[in-house]
Amino acid sequence: GTGSNILSALQDLFWLLKSKAEKQLQIISVLQWVLTFLIMGIACTLILMYILCTDCWAIAALYLAWLVFDWNTPKKGGRRSQWVRNWAIWRYFRDYFPIRLVKTHNLLTTRNYIFGYHPHGIMGLGAFCNFSTEATGVSQKFPGIRPYLATLAGNFRMPILRDYLMSGGICPVNRDSIDYILSKNGNGNAIIIVVGGAAESLNCTPGKNSVTLKNRKGFVKLALRHGADLVPVYSFGENEVYKQVIFEEGSWGRWVQKKFQKHVGFAPCIFHGRGLFSSTTWGLLPYSKPITTVVGEPITIPKIDNPSQKDVDFYHSIYVDSLIKLFDKYKSKFGLPETEVLEVN
């Protein structure tokens, strides 16, 4: 009896230690990503400039020469690495929240797609985990489909950061890059565009489900020009992982944010999550709230070389209706009341 009790106690201790170790690994995995998102580009630029002023200047010079030679690679589909996409760290990242990817329909490998991802949230955590890593099994759920998450083109001017982003299948959200992937890269490509962008991030807050979409029609025009099917995607919980100070329209804070958005491409947000060592303190870590990304039914889009505004408006309205229907169908399954309404701005 005594031996059995000791063995049972040791097993309980083992599972407790294992659970704590996994939780710490989850925190570390999320922390490295947040720091990458916030400071990696600037930090790598400063380090490269410093190395140029030291005896190791030749290393920096060689990298800069490579950078010039490789400058247009992000516009040509990038340089994805399945090894990087399958890193174990992304599974710990997934389990911290946790993050899930829900497939509702099959996608044909003979077609190309533009996924409209909503909402932006503060950092687009669900978009990154689901489409720039294999942590949630995107390649198994959509076999033969190559996902490309589109982000600010300015990120690809930053040394080292650009290579890191490309390894995950991330591309610039500009016309050159999207045109190349949809016209010169074969079929089975899916470009994920966070349609609301910086403007939407300014209004994200826990408990609010709203998207900036009414006047966002450029992605529909691109889909028509290439005959790429549109796929609405909604991430339940994306707005729950950070708390943000929302500035009212007309306030000085909102004026500063809009100026940054116009001239730099992103809007600075005042936000916080939990602390590194305690969930009750403020910090940069997101709150561990579940994020469930639902990929909806593809909308068949014809190829029109020069679509008229009437064509764009027609398919945009179909897309908006499809997104609302997707939200209404799954909202109660992921913790929202039946009375919840998706606000489209």
Side-chain angles (χ1 to χ4, degrees):
T2 303
S4 178
N5 289 337
I6 292 174
L7 181 60
S8 178
L10 288 173
Q11 287 177 335
D12 291 342
L13 179 61
F14 170 78
W15 286 112
L16 180 62
L17 292 174
K18 183 180 179 182
S19 176
K20 286 186 175 180
E22 287 184 348
K23 188 61 181 176
Q24 293 304 315
L25 287 170
Q26 290 169 12
I27 289 173
I28 291 169
S29 69
V30 174
L31 178 63
Q32 69 83 26
W33 188 86
V34 170
L35 293 177
T36 296
F37 183 91
L38 294 175
I39 66 171
M40 184 177 178
I42 295 173
C44 288
T45 302
L46 293 175
I47 291 170
L48 197 67
M49 292 172 63
Y50 170 76
I51 293 174
L52 279 171
C53 300
T54 69
D55 293 338
C56 298
W57 62 269
I59 297 174
L62 283 172
Y63 179 79
L64 288 173
W66 160 254
L67 194 63
V68 172
F69 174 79
D70 195 54
W71 190 253
N72 289 322
T73 298
K75 299 177 183 177
K76 297 180 179 180
R79 189 170 44 247
R80 73 174 55 222
S81 166
Q82 286 302 115
W83 176 65
V84 173
R85 287 175 61 89
N86 281 286
W87 277 353
I89 195 171
W90 306 132
R91 295 192 290 275
Y92 289 112
F93 182 96
R94 171 199 65 197
D95 293 339
Y96 172 85
F97 297 93
I99 296 174
R100 283 181 60 206
L101 179 65
V102 176
K103 169 186 174 181
T104 62
H105 291 79
N106 291 324
L107 299 181
L108 299 175
T109 57
T110 55
R111 300 285 292 173
N112 284 324
Y113 301 90
I114 293 180
F115 287 18
Y117 185 92
H118 313 269
H120 183 286
I122 295 292
M123 296 185 183
L125 292 157
F128 171 80
C129 185
N130 285 308
F131 302 112
S132 294
T133 81
E134 294 296 331
T136 56
V138 63
S139 292
Q140 286 73 44
K141 288 183 169 124
F142 300 103
I145 302 297
R146 292 180 299 276
Y148 293 87
L149 177 61
T151 188
L152 290 175
N155 289 324
F156 296 90
R157 302 186 187 103
M158 301 284 190
I160 310 299
L161 175 63
R162 66 188 291 277
D163 301 287
Y164 191 38
L165 294 177
M166 283 194 291
S167 68
I170 301 177
C171 68
V173 62
N174 57 33
R175 181 167 172 175
D176 289 343
S177 177
I178 294 172
D179 282 348
Y180 183 91
I181 292 170
L182 294 180
S183 64
K184 299 178 181 178
N185 202 42
N187 295 321
N189 302 292
I191 297 179
I192 297 88
I193 300 177
V194 186
V195 178
E200 191 172 86
S201 69
L202 297 179
N203 295 314
C204 70
T205 187
K208 186 174 183 179
N209 288 283
S210 66
V211 295
T212 302
L213 183 57
K214 279 184 179 178
N215 297 315
R216 299 296 175 104
K217 300 180 180 180
F219 72 106
V220 179
K221 189 172 184 178
L222 280 169
L224 285 164
R225 288 181 62 243
H226 293 284
D229 293 348
L230 289 171
V231 182
V233 179
Y234 197 86
S235 248
F236 295 89
E238 185 73 61
N239 285 344
E240 307 300 316
V241 295
Y242 279 111
K243 295 178 181 178
Q244 179 184 190
V245 176
I246 304 293
F247 293 102
E248 297 294 329
E249 290 292 339
S251 66
W252 68 269
R254 183 53 65 99
W255 180 84
V256 170
Q257 287 176 324
K258 287 187 173 181
K259 285 295 181 182
F260 260 85
Q261 179 189 337
K262 180 179 178 180
H263 297 292
V264 184
F266 70 92
C269 302
I270 300 177
F271 65 92
H272 74 83
R274 53 155 288 181
L276 181 59
F277 302 106
S278 171
S279 60
T280 59
T281 58
W282 288 12
L284 287 176
L285 280 177
Y287 293 105
S288 52
K289 304 286 186 179
I291 298 174
T292 305
T293 302
V294 184
V295 180
E297 182 178 4
I299 303 165
T300 303
I301 302 294
K303 188 177 187 304
I304 305 174
D305 291 332
N306 293 297
S308 66
Q309 190 59 49
K310 185 177 179 181
D311 295 324
V312 174
D313 291 342
F314 175 73
Y315 285 101
H316 181 268
S317 66
I318 293 176
Y319 178 86
V320 173
D321 290 342
S322 296
L323 179 64
I324 293 172
K325 288 176 182 176
L326 181 70
F327 178 85
D328 289 339
K329 182 176 179 178
Y330 289 93
K331 61 186 177 184
S332 61
K333 294 181 181 179
F334 303 119
L336 297 178
E338 282 290 347
T339 54
E340 184 73 17
V341 176
L342 179 63
E343 181 182 328
V344 180
N345 298 314

